[in-house]
Amino acid sequence: MLVTVTDTPPASPPGPPAPEGLRRRRLVAMSIWSVAFVAGWFLIGLPTDPLYAFAWLWAATIAWRSDRPWRTHLGFARDWLPVVVLLALYNLSRGFADNGATPHAMELIVADRWMFGWAMDGQVPTIWLQQHLYDPDAIHWWDVGVSWVYFSHFVVTLAAAVVLWLRERARWAAFMRRWGFLCASGLVTYFIYPAAPPWWAAQYGMLEEVARISTRGWKEFGMHGAGNLLNAGQIASNPVAAMPSLHTAWALFVVVFFLGVTRRRWWPLLLCYPLAMTFTLVYAGEHYVIDVLVGWAYVGLTFLAVGLAERWWAARKARRRPSEAEPATADPEPVDPPSATIGAQRPGQDESGQDESGQDETGQDETGQDGTGQ
């Protein structure tokens, strides 16, 4: 019997609940993973680096499916390694996007003042929010929330993709196609239009003082090392990736992708996430509101462009399918059954079975001689 085994078989339809032994094993494995994750969080920092995050996500899938053979777990590396490499290249290339040129800043300031200055004493939203909410000598509950929402950018999208990979590979592929297009569009924009965030503009006197406070909330819990990797990445990155804001773009992208399979009564709650990310980025001095709006527009462009491309590809495959089938051949001449050929007249024969030369089927004439006269 021939058995075909795949590394990562497609998700099977919902079946009976897992046996008690499997649930217990999964609970123990995920508990160990959680303890290790928290320890790494305190000692090393939050997994904001693509390779570091990949290691934790892979470990989580192994813990969740610890009953599977290693061949299945290696399938995760096979499918996700290209994604991790692309994310790493994205982070590196974004740092070279300015090409030594002065990034755009004033037009972003003008745009935010035009949209909100009438309600914020002529200030951009970042300045107005920090004047009313930021206290350099104290950390408030909203500062803690800002740190958590900002960190979620590095986890939520990847975690959603991992869940899709575990449950439904076709939707995972659709998710990754759109996510890749969104990231590529943002990266191209960074090279064409390098733009600086509010905290950079304040350093060069274009704005009043702006504090970069996206990670200060963790200090309230004594988690001083929680943002080590994130802070290091912020220092090493080149501040030209403000337009569009992929932070809010990713947040809205995840929500929009799952709206179709979510009950409408939960939609307002889901949409709170990109709004919370918008507040976080503007308040923390990372982005202008105009960056956020352009990022949302990129999400709409992503779903439109990739959706059209998928429909075109499906139609192309449908058109090619008949031509790829075995070409039709001319109908063969029908073969008469043996009973029908007995005594049947052949071409060139008269009704007596002789051909035009007077020979019968044996090659002899009526006298029993062949055509040679013998």
Side-chain angles (χ1 to χ4, degrees), residues 8 75 92 94 97 113 121 131 136 142 159-161 170 179 197 249 270 310 369:
T8 49
L92 291 174
R94 187 178 61 174
R113 281 177 175 165
D121 303 326
Q131 286 177 345
W142 54 82
W179 188 31
L270 290 178
E310 288 175 341
Q369 294 178 338

PDB file of all heavy atoms in Angstrom, residues 8 75 92 94 97 113 121 131 136 142 159-161 170 179 197 249 270 310 369:
ATOM      1  N   THR A   8       3.816  19.140   6.305  1.00  0.00           N
ATOM      2  CA  THR A   8       2.819  19.924   7.010  1.00  0.00           C
ATOM      3  C   THR A   8       1.482  19.704   6.334  1.00  0.00           C
ATOM      4  O   THR A   8       1.108  20.435   5.423  1.00  0.00           O
ATOM      5  CB  THR A   8       3.176  21.425   6.978  1.00  0.00           C
ATOM      6  OG1 THR A   8       3.480  21.779   5.622  1.00  0.00           O
ATOM      7  CG2 THR A   8       4.367  21.712   7.859  1.00  0.00           C
ATOM      8  N   GLY A  75       8.789  21.418   9.075  1.00  0.00           N
ATOM      9  CA  GLY A  75       7.990  22.101   8.070  1.00  0.00           C
ATOM     10  C   GLY A  75       7.782  23.572   8.404  1.00  0.00           C
ATOM     11  O   GLY A  75       7.667  24.408   7.506  1.00  0.00           O
ATOM     12  N   LEU A  92      16.992  45.930   7.553  1.00  0.00           N
ATOM     13  CA  LEU A  92      18.297  46.467   7.158  1.00  0.00           C
ATOM     14  C   LEU A  92      18.170  47.525   6.070  1.00  0.00           C
ATOM     15  O   LEU A  92      18.805  48.582   6.131  1.00  0.00           O
ATOM     16  CB  LEU A  92      19.199  45.327   6.680  1.00  0.00           C
ATOM     17  CG  LEU A  92      19.667  44.333   7.747  1.00  0.00           C
ATOM     18  CD1 LEU A  92      20.438  43.185   7.094  1.00  0.00           C
ATOM     19  CD2 LEU A  92      20.531  45.018   8.791  1.00  0.00           C
ATOM     20  N   ARG A  94      15.670  49.395   5.310  1.00  0.00           N
ATOM     21  CA  ARG A  94      14.986  50.602   5.754  1.00  0.00           C
ATOM     22  C   ARG A  94      15.981  51.614   6.314  1.00  0.00           C
ATOM     23  O   ARG A  94      15.790  52.825   6.182  1.00  0.00           O
ATOM     24  CB  ARG A  94      13.938  50.241   6.804  1.00  0.00           C
ATOM     25  CG  ARG A  94      13.060  51.394   7.208  1.00  0.00           C
ATOM     26  CD  ARG A  94      12.018  50.953   8.204  1.00  0.00           C
ATOM     27  NE  ARG A  94      12.621  50.441   9.432  1.00  0.00           N
ATOM     28  CZ  ARG A  94      11.928  50.097  10.506  1.00  0.00           C
ATOM     29  NH1 ARG A  94      10.614  50.183  10.487  1.00  0.00           N
ATOM     30  NH2 ARG A  94      12.529  49.641  11.581  1.00  0.00           N
ATOM     31  N   ALA A  97      17.398  53.950   3.601  1.00  0.00           N
ATOM     32  CA  ALA A  97      16.412  54.568   2.730  1.00  0.00           C
ATOM     33  C   ALA A  97      16.652  56.057   2.515  1.00  0.00           C
ATOM     34  O   ALA A  97      16.183  56.623   1.536  1.00  0.00           O
ATOM     35  CB  ALA A  97      15.010  54.350   3.291  1.00  0.00           C
ATOM     36  N   ARG A 113      -1.050  70.148  11.395  1.00  0.00           N
ATOM     37  CA  ARG A 113      -1.588  71.414  11.918  1.00  0.00           C
ATOM     38  C   ARG A 113      -2.841  71.818  11.152  1.00  0.00           C
ATOM     39  O   ARG A 113      -3.793  72.344  11.738  1.00  0.00           O
ATOM     40  CB  ARG A 113      -0.524  72.499  11.807  1.00  0.00           C
ATOM     41  CG  ARG A 113       0.532  72.442  12.906  1.00  0.00           C
ATOM     42  CD  ARG A 113       1.594  73.488  12.694  1.00  0.00           C
ATOM     43  NE  ARG A 113       2.551  73.516  13.804  1.00  0.00           N
ATOM     44  CZ  ARG A 113       3.730  74.125  13.763  1.00  0.00           C
ATOM     45  NH1 ARG A 113       4.101  74.773  12.647  1.00  0.00           N
ATOM     46  NH2 ARG A 113       4.544  74.097  14.796  1.00  0.00           N
ATOM     47  N   ASP A 121      -4.967  74.368  19.665  1.00  0.00           N
ATOM     48  CA  ASP A 121      -4.194  75.596  19.874  1.00  0.00           C
ATOM     49  C   ASP A 121      -3.072  75.748  18.854  1.00  0.00           C
ATOM     50  O   ASP A 121      -1.983  76.237  19.192  1.00  0.00           O
ATOM     51  CB  ASP A 121      -3.613  75.626  21.292  1.00  0.00           C
ATOM     52  CG  ASP A 121      -4.690  75.502  22.361  1.00  0.00           C
ATOM     53  OD1 ASP A 121      -5.803  76.028  22.134  1.00  0.00           O
ATOM     54  OD2 ASP A 121      -4.426  74.861  23.393  1.00  0.00           O
ATOM     55  N   GLN A 131       1.688  67.592  26.075  1.00  0.00           N
ATOM     56  CA  GLN A 131       1.476  68.697  27.012  1.00  0.00           C
ATOM     57  C   GLN A 131       0.391  68.366  28.034  1.00  0.00           C
ATOM     58  O   GLN A 131       0.458  68.821  29.180  1.00  0.00           O
ATOM     59  CB  GLN A 131       1.090  69.964  26.242  1.00  0.00           C
ATOM     60  CG  GLN A 131       2.242  70.614  25.498  1.00  0.00           C
ATOM     61  CD  GLN A 131       1.800  71.831  24.701  1.00  0.00           C
ATOM     62  OE1 GLN A 131       0.602  72.048  24.478  1.00  0.00           O
ATOM     63  NE2 GLN A 131       2.761  72.633  24.262  1.00  0.00           N
ATOM     64  N   PRO A 136       7.130  63.808  32.948  1.00  0.00           N
ATOM     65  CA  PRO A 136       8.459  63.204  33.001  1.00  0.00           C
ATOM     66  C   PRO A 136       8.823  62.643  34.367  1.00  0.00           C
ATOM     67  O   PRO A 136       9.750  61.829  34.483  1.00  0.00           O
ATOM     68  CB  PRO A 136       9.392  64.361  32.612  1.00  0.00           C
ATOM     69  CG  PRO A 136       8.622  65.603  32.894  1.00  0.00           C
ATOM     70  CD  PRO A 136       7.189  65.254  32.670  1.00  0.00           C
ATOM     71  N   TRP A 142      -1.843  55.119  31.438  1.00  0.00           N
ATOM     72  CA  TRP A 142      -1.855  55.183  29.970  1.00  0.00           C
ATOM     73  C   TRP A 142      -0.452  55.026  29.393  1.00  0.00           C
ATOM     74  O   TRP A 142      -0.296  54.556  28.274  1.00  0.00           O
ATOM     75  CB  TRP A 142      -2.515  56.468  29.481  1.00  0.00           C
ATOM     76  CG  TRP A 142      -1.944  57.740  30.051  1.00  0.00           C
ATOM     77  CD1 TRP A 142      -0.829  58.408  29.642  1.00  0.00           C
ATOM     78  CD2 TRP A 142      -2.471  58.484  31.149  1.00  0.00           C
ATOM     79  NE1 TRP A 142      -0.621  59.526  30.397  1.00  0.00           N
ATOM     80  CE2 TRP A 142      -1.629  59.603  31.329  1.00  0.00           C
ATOM     81  CE3 TRP A 142      -3.590  58.326  31.974  1.00  0.00           C
ATOM     82  CZ2 TRP A 142      -1.859  60.546  32.320  1.00  0.00           C
ATOM     83  CZ3 TRP A 142      -3.808  59.273  32.954  1.00  0.00           C
ATOM     84  CH2 TRP A 142      -2.947  60.368  33.133  1.00  0.00           C
ATOM     85  N   ALA A 159       1.885  36.394  15.355  1.00  0.00           N
ATOM     86  CA  ALA A 159       1.105  35.382  16.073  1.00  0.00           C
ATOM     87  C   ALA A 159      -0.128  34.977  15.267  1.00  0.00           C
ATOM     88  O   ALA A 159      -0.484  33.791  15.202  1.00  0.00           O
ATOM     89  CB  ALA A 159       0.695  35.914  17.443  1.00  0.00           C
ATOM     90  N   ALA A 160      -0.798  35.948  14.650  1.00  0.00           N
ATOM     91  CA  ALA A 160      -1.950  35.618  13.812  1.00  0.00           C
ATOM     92  C   ALA A 160      -1.537  34.734  12.639  1.00  0.00           C
ATOM     93  O   ALA A 160      -2.249  33.787  12.280  1.00  0.00           O
ATOM     94  CB  ALA A 160      -2.601  36.905  13.304  1.00  0.00           C
ATOM     95  N   ALA A 161      -0.390  35.023  12.057  1.00  0.00           N
ATOM     96  CA  ALA A 161       0.089  34.207  10.945  1.00  0.00           C
ATOM     97  C   ALA A 161       0.412  32.787  11.400  1.00  0.00           C
ATOM     98  O   ALA A 161       0.147  31.819  10.678  1.00  0.00           O
ATOM     99  CB  ALA A 161       1.316  34.859  10.317  1.00  0.00           C
ATOM    100  N   ALA A 170      -4.113  27.422   3.481  1.00  0.00           N
ATOM    101  CA  ALA A 170      -4.510  28.249   2.340  1.00  0.00           C
ATOM    102  C   ALA A 170      -4.711  29.699   2.773  1.00  0.00           C
ATOM    103  O   ALA A 170      -4.263  30.628   2.089  1.00  0.00           O
ATOM    104  CB  ALA A 170      -5.786  27.696   1.703  1.00  0.00           C
ATOM    105  N   TRP A 179       0.440  40.573   3.391  1.00  0.00           N
ATOM    106  CA  TRP A 179       1.392  41.192   4.310  1.00  0.00           C
ATOM    107  C   TRP A 179       2.694  41.543   3.594  1.00  0.00           C
ATOM    108  O   TRP A 179       3.258  42.631   3.787  1.00  0.00           O
ATOM    109  CB  TRP A 179       1.638  40.237   5.490  1.00  0.00           C
ATOM    110  CG  TRP A 179       2.438  40.836   6.596  1.00  0.00           C
ATOM    111  CD1 TRP A 179       2.467  42.141   6.986  1.00  0.00           C
ATOM    112  CD2 TRP A 179       3.330  40.150   7.479  1.00  0.00           C
ATOM    113  NE1 TRP A 179       3.302  42.308   8.060  1.00  0.00           N
ATOM    114  CE2 TRP A 179       3.845  41.101   8.379  1.00  0.00           C
ATOM    115  CE3 TRP A 179       3.714  38.819   7.593  1.00  0.00           C
ATOM    116  CZ2 TRP A 179       4.750  40.754   9.370  1.00  0.00           C
ATOM    117  CZ3 TRP A 179       4.607  38.477   8.598  1.00  0.00           C
ATOM    118  CH2 TRP A 179       5.125  39.434   9.469  1.00  0.00           C
ATOM    119  N   PRO A 197      10.054  61.349  11.836  1.00  0.00           N
ATOM    120  CA  PRO A 197       8.961  61.413  12.820  1.00  0.00           C
ATOM    121  C   PRO A 197       9.033  62.687  13.661  1.00  0.00           C
ATOM    122  O   PRO A 197       9.998  63.457  13.582  1.00  0.00           O
ATOM    123  CB  PRO A 197       9.208  60.162  13.659  1.00  0.00           C
ATOM    124  CG  PRO A 197      10.686  59.952  13.575  1.00  0.00           C
ATOM    125  CD  PRO A 197      11.101  60.384  12.210  1.00  0.00           C
ATOM    126  N   ALA A 249      -0.568  50.410  10.040  1.00  0.00           N
ATOM    127  CA  ALA A 249      -0.974  49.631   8.864  1.00  0.00           C
ATOM    128  C   ALA A 249      -1.078  48.148   9.215  1.00  0.00           C
ATOM    129  O   ALA A 249      -2.038  47.470   8.828  1.00  0.00           O
ATOM    130  CB  ALA A 249       0.009  49.853   7.718  1.00  0.00           C
ATOM    131  N   LEU A 270     -12.630  44.966  17.782  1.00  0.00           N
ATOM    132  CA  LEU A 270     -11.444  44.739  16.955  1.00  0.00           C
ATOM    133  C   LEU A 270     -10.881  46.051  16.404  1.00  0.00           C
ATOM    134  O   LEU A 270      -9.668  46.257  16.370  1.00  0.00           O
ATOM    135  CB  LEU A 270     -11.783  43.797  15.802  1.00  0.00           C
ATOM    136  CG  LEU A 270     -12.066  42.334  16.154  1.00  0.00           C
ATOM    137  CD1 LEU A 270     -12.436  41.545  14.900  1.00  0.00           C
ATOM    138  CD2 LEU A 270     -10.857  41.699  16.840  1.00  0.00           C
ATOM    139  N   GLU A 310      -4.973  37.846  -7.443  1.00  0.00           N
ATOM    140  CA  GLU A 310      -5.403  36.468  -7.201  1.00  0.00           C
ATOM    141  C   GLU A 310      -6.525  36.055  -8.145  1.00  0.00           C
ATOM    142  O   GLU A 310      -6.536  34.923  -8.659  1.00  0.00           O
ATOM    143  CB  GLU A 310      -5.844  36.318  -5.747  1.00  0.00           C
ATOM    144  CG  GLU A 310      -4.700  36.357  -4.755  1.00  0.00           C
ATOM    145  CD  GLU A 310      -5.175  36.316  -3.321  1.00  0.00           C
ATOM    146  OE1 GLU A 310      -6.371  36.610  -3.077  1.00  0.00           O
ATOM    147  OE2 GLU A 310      -4.362  35.993  -2.429  1.00  0.00           O
ATOM    148  N   GLN A 369      -5.320 -19.819 -61.245  1.00  0.00           N
ATOM    149  CA  GLN A 369      -3.955 -19.361 -61.446  1.00  0.00           C
ATOM    150  C   GLN A 369      -3.825 -17.953 -60.875  1.00  0.00           C
ATOM    151  O   GLN A 369      -4.773 -17.166 -60.860  1.00  0.00           O
ATOM    152  CB  GLN A 369      -3.621 -19.340 -62.938  1.00  0.00           C
ATOM    153  CG  GLN A 369      -3.597 -20.736 -63.571  1.00  0.00           C
ATOM    154  CD  GLN A 369      -3.297 -20.665 -65.073  1.00  0.00           C
ATOM    155  OE1 GLN A 369      -3.520 -19.619 -65.672  1.00  0.00           O
ATOM    156  NE2 GLN A 369      -2.785 -21.733 -65.615  1.00  0.00           N
TER     157      GLN A 369
END
